[in-house]
Amino acid sequence: MIHKYKLNGYNICLDVHSGAVHILDDAAYDILDYCDENMKRDIPEKIYTELGDRYGKEEIEETYEALYELFEMGQLFSPDDYEKFADMMTKAPVKSMCINISHDCNLRCEYCFAAKGDFGQGRCLMPLETAKKAIDFIIANSGTRKNLEVDFFGGEPLMNFDVVKKTVEYARGLEDKYNKKFRFTITTNGLLLDDDKIEFINREMNNAVLSLDGRKEVNDRLRVTPNGKGSYDTIVPKYQKLVAGRGDKDYYIRGTFTKYNLDFTDDVLHMHSLGFDQLSIEPVVSDPKLDYSIKYEDLPVVFKEYERLAESIIESRKKGDYYNFFHFMIDLNQGPCAIKRLRGCGCGNEYVAVTPQGDIYPCHQFVGNEDYKMGNLHDGTFDTDMKNMFAMSTVYTKENCKDCWAKFYCSGGCNANNFQYEGNIRKSHKTSCELEKKRLECAIMIKAALAESGDDAPCDGEDCISSCL
Amino acid sequence: MEKKHIKTLNQANLKESAAKGGCGECQACTVANQKCEKQQ
């Protein structure tokens, strides 16, 4: 299977099952329409008759020969022989956990999937005893895995920061004993950040996700306090202080775009103008009936905007101005192995979410849906049948994924998105798919443009990040 | 690889990664922007 497309003046071909990416001239791009997985060395007569008015005989012959050479090298129409690996990881241990340390929030963001902070379960904070049991659970269920990821999430985690600190201290105290390495992440709206919290986050958190929607008027339209006041003026200086002390640890300024700001490139550029260079802004996930929701008919406008953002990134890079856009990150040479790409995140299998009450769900987005409750930390229950059901959700068992060119990059998409929009974790959500495919097309095109201009040079040291934009 | 009509942008090794991969140590919430734990 191949995917070929034109974007920003480039003719691009992705060979899906080898991962090879080819930049083609017009002749190769057109001749490719006459090739398939049964390609033969002899040139089909149809190419001469149908393309002869555009390309000379010699040009057709040398172009076809080049394409056939790629075919023989396994870099064009390479066969799909990955399904046999789909059973790997079905008995994988739990190695990642989202700890909903707070089911309360000091903002009332209109689009919040967590029902404005409490996940529809009433406002409460996780007791330290429950958080410790969560750490015990992941250690006990992680088998021989060394790297364990724990995300502090909510609600607003900073509203229960003392428990965050004591949970980290508890987990760190168990690392040597059990040969584990915890990687902590925290997602915050920033309102309660102070010097003490910033110091702790920058010391202990491998990643900090800092919520900001971009321009002040965009952010303050939907990210408001309970009395309706915007949050921009309070949080931006705090984020700047946190990021200044971040060193080489990861962070993301993370926003949501809605129908209200389909010109979101301006929000990305605004974030960068504030001094941030690790940026993410993503389409809202919401009931399609809401005014701010992004619908299928909005896609042409969103696609154009992604193209504008991609072109902006290319121009910036050529000027030596670097910023990273999360959804245009792609490593075409390495990236995750094919086994990983079959199912993406470990939702419900390697990854679970825990509520303040100790209930266990497949991930943070399933929290509150009783049909997907997997167990409870306090009574020791854990539904392994449901775990197996999630483990078997791969690109080969998801409707529409098996024959999709993007399957090894989105890995079947988000189970929670599929469930929210389609009522079935294995039925992909068409709008989400189209957005993901557009982002991939842009990401690959950026690679092509930077390779052409020499601004995407090979890595020359450990700190080099050119391989992922 | 660069030819007159075609420039190959990368040295992809998806097939090889299937045979050698699956250690399970990488991050378990797109995966395109992830890195292989063994390559870090």
Side-chain angles (χ1 to χ4, degrees):
Chain A
M1 188 195 318
I2 64 164
H3 174 63
K4 72 185 191 94
Y5 64 100
K6 292 174 179 277
L7 185 58
N8 198 25
Y10 295 94
N11 299 330
I12 297 171
C13 171
L14 167 68
D15 184 56
V16 174
H17 297 120
S18 70
V21 176
H22 311 292
I23 310 303
L24 313 173
D25 69 4
D26 288 341
Y29 191 83
D30 289 342
I31 289 171
L32 202 48
D33 286 336
Y34 298 83
C35 306
D36 60 22
E37 64 274 14
N38 300 310
M39 209 173 167
K40 301 284 189 295
R41 181 173 289 281
D42 296 335
I43 302 175
E45 193 61 35
K46 206 173 176 184
I47 295 177
Y48 293 115
T49 55
E50 296 189 7
L51 296 179
D53 59 339
R54 261 180 281 174
Y55 309 109
K57 183 171 183 291
E58 188 178 335
E59 187 171 19
I60 287 174
E61 286 172 352
E62 65 181 25
T63 303
Y64 187 88
E65 186 180 339
L67 289 169
Y68 187 74
E69 188 177 332
L70 287 176
F71 174 71
E72 285 204 307
M73 290 165 63
Q75 295 192 350
L76 199 63
F77 300 109
S78 58
D80 180 353
D81 46 19
Y82 296 96
E83 192 164 4
K84 63 191 176 194
F85 296 106
D87 286 345
M88 285 182 72
M89 310 295 281
T90 51
K91 296 189 185 338
V94 178
K95 71 181 293 288
S96 301
M97 177 179 279
C98 182
I99 297 183
N100 281 13
I101 205 83
S102 168
H103 274 196
D104 197 358
C105 191
N106 44 9
L107 285 183
R108 297 291 184 271
C109 306
E110 281 295 322
Y111 48 60
C112 181
F113 76 82
K116 301 188 180 179
D118 72 352
F119 290 81
Q121 298 186 323
R123 298 189 180 279
C124 61
L125 303 177
M126 181 179 282
L128 178 59
E129 178 203 5
T130 304
K132 284 182 172 178
K133 281 192 174 181
I135 297 297
D136 293 340
F137 176 90
I138 192 172
I139 288 176
N141 286 277
S142 56
T144 58
R145 296 287 189 266
K146 181 177 175 65
N147 297 319
L148 308 181
E149 296 98 34
V150 172
D151 302 341
F152 291 106
F153 199 60
E156 173 48 47
L158 299 190
M159 295 179 76
N160 198 13
F161 200 66
D162 189 50
V163 173
V164 170
K165 292 171 80 169
K166 287 175 178 167
T167 305
V168 170
E169 182 183 13
Y170 179 72
R172 292 281 186 233
L174 297 173
E175 285 182 320
D176 288 344
K177 181 179 178 182
Y178 293 102
N179 190 30
K180 304 293 183 186
K181 176 66 180 170
F182 280 95
R183 292 171 173 171
F184 293 106
T185 296
I186 193 163
T187 300
T188 178
N189 64 33
L191 281 178
L192 294 176
L193 280 173
D194 57 26
D195 288 352
D196 173 61
K197 294 186 180 75
I198 287 173
E199 188 278 328
F200 184 85
I201 288 169
N202 282 344
R203 175 161 43 88
E204 294 290 354
M205 300 291 159
N206 291 71
N207 194 5
V209 181
L210 312 171
S211 299
L212 173 73
D213 282 355
R215 292 163 290 180
K216 177 177 164 65
E217 65 273 21
V218 170
N219 183 84
D220 287 354
R221 182 169 184 175
L222 296 175
R223 299 187 64 80
V224 295
T225 62
N227 62 11
K229 187 170 178 284
S231 54
Y232 180 97
D233 290 336
T234 305
I235 61 177
V236 167
K238 295 182 178 191
Y239 288 165
Q240 288 170 323
K241 189 166 192 176
L242 187 150
V243 169
R246 195 77 188 127
D248 60 357
K249 286 193 168 79
D250 289 337
Y251 76 91
Y252 278 97
I253 299 294
R254 188 268 152 186
T256 297
F257 72 83
T258 71
K259 183 74 170 276
Y260 299 154
N261 63 316
L262 294 179
D263 58 348
F264 55 84
T265 296
D266 291 344
D267 292 296
V268 173
L269 295 175
H270 180 75
M271 292 172 178
H272 187 44
S273 76
L274 295 171
F276 305 121
D277 61 9
Q278 300 298 318
L279 312 174
S280 175
I281 189 163
E282 319 228 3
V284 67
V285 176
S286 66
D287 184 336
K289 296 187 192 74
L290 296 168
D291 284 350
Y292 55 75
S293 71
I294 293 172
K295 303 174 183 63
Y296 194 78
E297 54 264 35
D298 296 319
L299 289 183
V301 177
V302 178
F303 288 175
K304 280 290 175 197
E305 194 63 12
Y306 274 129
E307 290 178 17
R308 186 164 82 97
L309 178 57
E311 289 166 19
S312 172
I313 287 172
I314 293 165
E315 286 309 305
S316 294
R317 286 293 296 275
K318 285 179 177 175
K319 293 174 187 166
D321 181 19
Y322 171 86
Y323 64 90
N324 177 42
F325 181 65
F326 182 81
H327 273 301
F328 287 167
M329 290 167 68
I330 189 167
D331 184 345
L332 296 177
N333 289 315
Q334 172 64 44
C337 67
I339 308 300
K340 176 69 176 177
R341 293 170 189 244
L342 296 180
R343 58 172 58 76
C345 81
C347 171
N349 180 29
E350 298 175 277
Y351 179 46
V352 294
V354 175
T355 71
Q357 295 80 14
D359 291 330
I360 304 169
Y361 290 90
C363 82
H364 47 283
Q365 293 219 48
F366 283 99
V367 167
N369 184 325
E370 289 303 299
D371 291 341
Y372 281 91
K373 185 173 155 184
M374 298 181 78
N376 184 278
L377 294 174
H378 300 299
D379 64 19
T381 53
F382 187 56
D383 186 343
T384 53
D385 288 341
M386 191 180 297
K387 181 181 185 297
N388 290 336
M389 186 268 287
F390 275 95
M392 295 306 293
S393 293
T394 71
V395 294
Y396 291 100
T397 60
K398 286 184 174 176
E399 203 174 320
N400 304 326
C401 292
K402 184 176 181 178
D403 298 321
C404 174
W405 67 266
K407 63 184 175 187
F408 290 140
Y409 299 89
C410 81
S411 301
C414 173
N415 288 323
N417 267 17
N418 292 348
F419 180 75
Q420 169 156 346
Y421 286 114
E422 304 292 345
N424 183 340
I425 64 168
R426 295 188 184 180
K427 187 173 183 186
S428 53
H429 174 231
K430 192 173 181 184
T431 303
S432 297
C433 288
E434 295 303 317
L435 287 166
E436 178 64 17
K437 286 190 273 193
K438 185 63 186 181
R439 290 189 291 248
L440 281 168
E441 287 186 342
C442 288
I444 294 170
M445 182 277 288
I446 293 171
K447 284 291 190 188
L450 295 180
E452 181 183 66
S453 66
D455 292 302
D456 196 23
C459 291
D460 57 3
E462 289 183 358
D463 295 332
C464 177
I465 42 182
S466 67
S467 67
C468 53
L469 278 181
Chain B
M1 185 186 78
E2 186 155 12
K3 291 178 174 294
K4 185 176 174 186
H5 302 279
I6 303 166
K7 177 182 179 183
T8 299
L9 209 55
N10 57 344
Q11 294 181 310
N13 58 358
L14 261 187
K15 302 267 180 185
E16 188 181 330
S17 81
K20 294 181 177 177
C23 74
E25 286 291 357
C26 60
Q27 183 180 339
C29 186
T30 175
V31 301
N33 46 25
Q34 261 204 294
K35 287 192 176 300
C36 171
E37 192 65 33
K38 291 176 180 174
Q39 300 294 318
Q40 301 240 36

